[in-house]
Amino acid sequence: MKRQWCLYLSFLIYLTYSTSVQAENKKPDEKRYVIIHADDAGMSHSVNRGTIEGMEKGIVSSASIMVPCPWFKEFAQYAKSHPDLDYGIHLTLNSEWKNYRWGPVASRDQVPSLLDKENYLWDNVGQVVAHVNVKDAEKELRAQIERAKKFGVPLTHLDTHMGAVVSRPDLLEMYVNLGIEYDLPVLFVANLDPKKYGLIAKKGLELKAVLEKNGLPVLDELVQFYGERDYEKRKNAYLETLRNLKPGVTQIIIHCGFDNQELQNITSSSSRRDGDRRVFTDPNVMKEVKELEIEVITWKQFHEMARKQVASAQ
């Protein structure tokens, strides 16, 4: 898995649960917000169960759904029946697992550049960069959004599976335009290093201003962990991140699941996904977040914060 592509995004944390009165009395520029965001809902039954548990029993404040995946319908039904929770579309242009693959939502004959020789979506982001036509990509991503709406998912935002949609300047611009068209915030990098990201960083600076002008929020920081399998070390890494959060809005990306046979057959990350679910349903972790006076928010709340900021500036 080439998750390093997610580094194209940089954001702040937004949280769902209220914190102490003392935190409420802080000046806006001193407050720390976090979004605890579960990616990959719809990928499998185990991931769906883990994500739902994180949202119902823990402090997972938001999730995003992979519409092309086999277990999309199950999670869409849950979202429709729980409209008070926060859901985005995990816009998907690649299918990275060896024996568990998916194709496009749009008709294959309409998006030929999205397909590998087996008629699935490309395996990795590098292949997306090399082969995908932006017009085909837009057709597919629009089809994913419309399918979610057809199934009754109450959408609050858009983001990107493995960063594929932000891997080229033209794809990045198309992604932002979809957010503006649907009036949905997009996961977006606030300040990319131009020495490291080149044309992506340059385009990002232009599009950041466009998003803000349209009342769509831009995160300050993005955090996610992949490699650590040991549960206690993983938990401590998250706690250390929370303790050191800077003022503003940070998003922590996690991947929830259960370390069962189904998920083990799909991915080698099953134990880490199980760990993420356990960390963010841990009463001690939830207690520490409250004691740190960090406010957990949703994308819906983050969007409203941005709207108020635009209104106050007029």
Side-chain angles (χ1 to χ4, degrees), residues 198-259:
L199 293 176
I200 294 290
K202 183 178 179 181
K203 177 60 70 173
L205 284 175
E206 298 173 13
L207 296 174
K208 177 178 179 288
V210 174
L211 286 168
E212 291 173 339
K213 181 180 178 180
N214 283 274
L216 298 178
V218 175
L219 290 161
D220 301 300
E221 293 290 342
L222 174 75
V223 178
Q224 61 182 332
F225 300 108
Y226 289 118
E228 185 54 66
R229 293 176 181 272
D230 180 84
Y231 173 73
E232 288 300 327
K233 290 181 180 179
R234 195 170 185 84
K235 176 180 173 180
N236 289 334
Y238 281 123
L239 286 172
E240 192 65 21
T241 296
L242 289 163
R243 292 165 188 152
N244 292 301
L245 283 183
K246 296 177 182 179
V249 180
T250 300
Q251 174 161 297
I252 297 179
I253 292 179
I254 66 173
H255 300 82
C256 294
F258 286 85
D259 191 11

Side-chain angles (χ1 to χ4, degrees), residues 1 3 37-44 47-48 51 63-76 87-97 100-103 105 121-123 140-141 143-145 147-148 153 155 159-163 255 266 273:
M1 292 170 48
R3 299 281 186 178
H37 190 276
D39 281 4
D40 295 358
M43 189 186 95
S44 73
V47 169
N48 287 352
T51 302
S64 59
I65 309 167
M66 298 179 74
V67 180
C69 292
W71 285 87
F72 158 74
K73 183 179 178 181
E74 179 186 62
F75 198 86
Y87 313 101
I89 297 301
H90 204 43
L91 296 170
T92 302
L93 290 178
N94 68 296
S95 174
E96 71 272 24
W97 308 113
Y100 187 71
R101 308 293 307 283
W102 48 82
V105 171
L121 295 177
W122 292 104
D123 173 77
E140 172 58 21
L141 300 186
Q144 292 178 21
I145 297 167
R147 181 169 174 80
V153 178
L155 297 178
D159 62 25
T160 164
H161 183 53
M162 295 177 66
H255 300 82
I266 296 171
R273 291 170 185 261

Side-chain angles (χ1 to χ4, degrees), residues 2 5 8 94 123-130 161-164 167:
K2 299 184 179 178
W5 291 91
Y8 283 116
N94 68 296
D123 173 77
N124 59 66
V125 177
Q127 291 172 334
V128 170
V129 171
H161 183 53
M162 295 177 66
S167 60

Side-chain angles (χ1 to χ4, degrees), residues 3-23:
R3 299 281 186 178
Q4 65 269 30
W5 291 91
C6 292
L7 294 175
Y8 283 116
L9 309 168
S10 166
F11 309 98
L12 280 183
I13 303 177
Y14 64 100
L15 303 169
T16 300
Y17 298 88
S18 62
T19 54
S20 66
V21 173
Q22 182 179 356

